[in-house]
């Protein structure tokens, strides 16, 4: 995608923004799907691009547009968690109990063909968010803590629990245990 499309879009060119949207939509959709699940990915993707259109004048070119858009997307998704009142409760709740409940209700329906993405989708939102931000997107625990309003230690704890849960889910899938 030519850099000119971003410049034109910042000047209000809707056709240029449409080209920017088409170029970046798959990556933003995949991020939303990984962080919030497939049921919320379409709506969150649209929310990200609406916010991008509104905030485009703030893009100064100090980083690549893709980096700016990615950070905006993470913020929109996390904001949605906060709005729904789930993110903070999931992080501060007894995570072991949440994981046990999720594990007990969801493992009944495991399919032998489950892959990592399906296992990630089974994680509670808090654990999923930390796992995706840290292991998939490469954020550091301090950055995750700042984004989510939790301590770096909470981020580390959630990541540890997410990895344990994923390991258990994937082991059951590969060994054929229902």
């Amino acid at each position: 995608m030519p850099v000119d499309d971003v410049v034109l879009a910042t000047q209000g060119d809707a056709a240029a923004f449409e080209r920017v949207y088409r170029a970046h939509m798959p990556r933003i959709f995949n991020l939303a799907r990984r962080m919030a699940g497939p049921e919320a990915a379409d709506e969150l993707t649209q929310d990200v691009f609406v916010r991008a259109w509104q905030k485009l004048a703030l893009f100064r070119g100090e980083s690549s547009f893709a980096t700016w858009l990615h950070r905006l997307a993470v913020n929109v998704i996390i904001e949605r968690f906060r709005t729904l009142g789930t993110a903070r409760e999931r992080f501060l709740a007894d995570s072991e109990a949440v994981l046990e409940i999720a594990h007990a209700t969801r493992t009944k329906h495991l399919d032998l063909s489950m892959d990592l993405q399906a296992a990630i989708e089974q994680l509670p939102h808090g654990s999923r968010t930390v796992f995706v931000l840290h292991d998939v997107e490469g954020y550091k625990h301090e950055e995750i803590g700042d984004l989510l309003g939790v301590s770096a230690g909470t981020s580390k704890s959630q990541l540890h629990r997410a990895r344990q849960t994923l390991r258990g889910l994937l082991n059951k899938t590969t060994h054929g245990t229902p």
Side-chain angles (χ1 to χ4, degrees), residues 99-177:
L99 290 175
E100 286 175 16
I101 292 166
H103 180 70
T105 58
R106 293 181 179 166
T107 53
K108 295 176 187 172
H109 306 291
L110 284 177
D111 179 10
L112 292 177
S113 65
M114 183 176 68
D115 61 358
L116 179 60
Q117 181 58 42
I120 291 170
E121 290 170 8
Q122 290 191 34
L123 292 172
H125 284 292
S127 296
R128 181 189 319 166
T129 300
V130 171
F131 178 81
V132 170
L133 288 175
H134 187 274
D135 284 5
V136 178
E137 299 298 329
Y139 284 79
K140 294 182 169 124
H141 288 291
E142 292 75 21
E143 295 171 310
I144 295 168
D146 289 344
L147 283 169
L148 301 176
V150 299
S151 70
T154 299
S155 174
K156 290 175 185 177
S157 173
Q158 287 289 330
L159 179 62
H160 176 73
R161 289 184 181 117
R163 287 175 176 168
Q164 283 182 316
T165 302
L166 287 173
R167 205 171 291 123
L169 291 170
L170 294 171
N171 275 340
K172 287 184 179 192
T173 300
T174 57
H175 296 328
T177 308

Side-chain angles (χ1 to χ4, degrees), residues 4-167:
D4 295 337
D5 282 340
V6 173
V7 172
L8 291 171
T10 60
Q11 298 168 354
D13 185 332
F17 187 75
E18 174 71 21
R19 291 187 297 274
V20 169
Y21 169 82
R22 289 183 191 279
H24 293 278
M25 189 278 298
R27 182 169 185 240
I28 298 303
F29 176 82
N30 286 328
L31 175 67
R33 183 177 47 81
R34 286 190 306 266
M35 287 183 70
E39 65 285 345
D42 284 329
E43 185 177 348
L44 281 169
T45 301
Q46 294 306 311
D47 290 350
V48 167
F49 281 99
V50 166
R51 182 76 56 86
W53 178 252
Q54 294 167 341
K55 304 260 183 199
L56 204 51
L58 300 176
F59 175 65
R60 296 181 300 241
E62 294 170 357
S63 61
S64 75
F65 180 76
T67 300
W68 179 84
L69 183 61
H70 181 271
R71 181 63 179 234
L72 179 75
V74 168
N75 289 336
V76 166
I77 294 165
I78 290 171
E79 181 182 301
R80 171 68 61 85
F81 290 155
R82 286 187 181 133
T83 301
L84 296 175
T86 58
R88 200 154 187 86
E89 292 171 4
R90 300 282 165 117
F91 281 99
L92 300 178
D94 179 3
S95 298
E96 290 296 328
V98 171
L99 290 175
E100 286 175 16
I101 292 166
H103 180 70
T105 58
R106 293 181 179 166
T107 53
K108 295 176 187 172
H109 306 291
L110 284 177
D111 179 10
L112 292 177
S113 65
M114 183 176 68
D115 61 358
L116 179 60
Q117 181 58 42
I120 291 170
E121 290 170 8
Q122 290 191 34
L123 292 172
H125 284 292
S127 296
R128 181 189 319 166
T129 300
V130 171
F131 178 81
V132 170
L133 288 175
H134 187 274
D135 284 5
V136 178
E137 299 298 329
Y139 284 79
K140 294 182 169 124
H141 288 291
E142 292 75 21
E143 295 171 310
I144 295 168
D146 289 344
L147 283 169
L148 301 176
V150 299
S151 70
T154 299
S155 174
K156 290 175 185 177
S157 173
Q158 287 289 330
L159 179 62
H160 176 73
R161 289 184 181 117
R163 287 175 176 168
Q164 283 182 316
T165 302
L166 287 173
R167 205 171 291 123

